[in-house]
Amino acid sequence: DLESDEDYTEVMEETKEECGKFGKLRNIVIPRTGVGATKIFLEYETTEDAAKAIKALAGRTFDGRTIDAAYMDEVKYLNQDYSG
């Protein structure tokens, strides 16, 4: 859980470092509360980079949780609808 600013910053930096290996990240969204609170949303410059990330991340574990990596509906993302 990301209640403290320190925890949030740490997860953001780790995510940027690890997920930046797959291509140029345009944006990272980590909702702290509400819908999507346990999810991390990555926006890459290209579809190809996003595909590399999905392939590499799907099924991995992080902090005891299995990663479910998938494309998100672009309209939902742009409207900040993180309901999945």
Side-chain angles (χ1 to χ4, degrees):
D1 296 323
L2 303 173
E3 293 182 13
S4 77
D5 290 340
E6 183 178 307
D7 289 343
Y8 183 84
T9 300
E10 182 179 330
V11 170
M12 181 65 82
E13 291 302 317
E14 288 176 2
T15 300
K16 191 180 300 182
E17 181 180 329
E18 181 65 23
C19 297
K21 295 175 183 176
F22 309 114
K24 186 171 182 184
L25 282 163
R26 187 179 291 170
N27 194 22
I28 301 171
V29 177
I30 306 175
R32 293 175 83 160
T33 60
V35 176
T38 61
K39 300 176 183 178
I40 297 175
F41 299 89
L42 307 170
E43 181 183 0
Y44 284 91
E45 287 287 326
T46 69
T47 304
E48 292 80 12
D49 291 345
K52 286 190 283 186
I54 288 171
K55 183 177 180 182
L57 295 171
R60 283 178 49 181
T61 55
F62 176 76
D63 198 26
R65 297 177 183 163
T66 301
I67 297 172
D68 178 20
Y71 291 103
M72 182 176 181
D73 180 274
E74 189 174 357
V75 174
K76 279 186 158 187
Y77 178 77
L78 294 172
N79 288 315
Q80 300 179 353
D81 176 359
Y82 304 124
S83 60

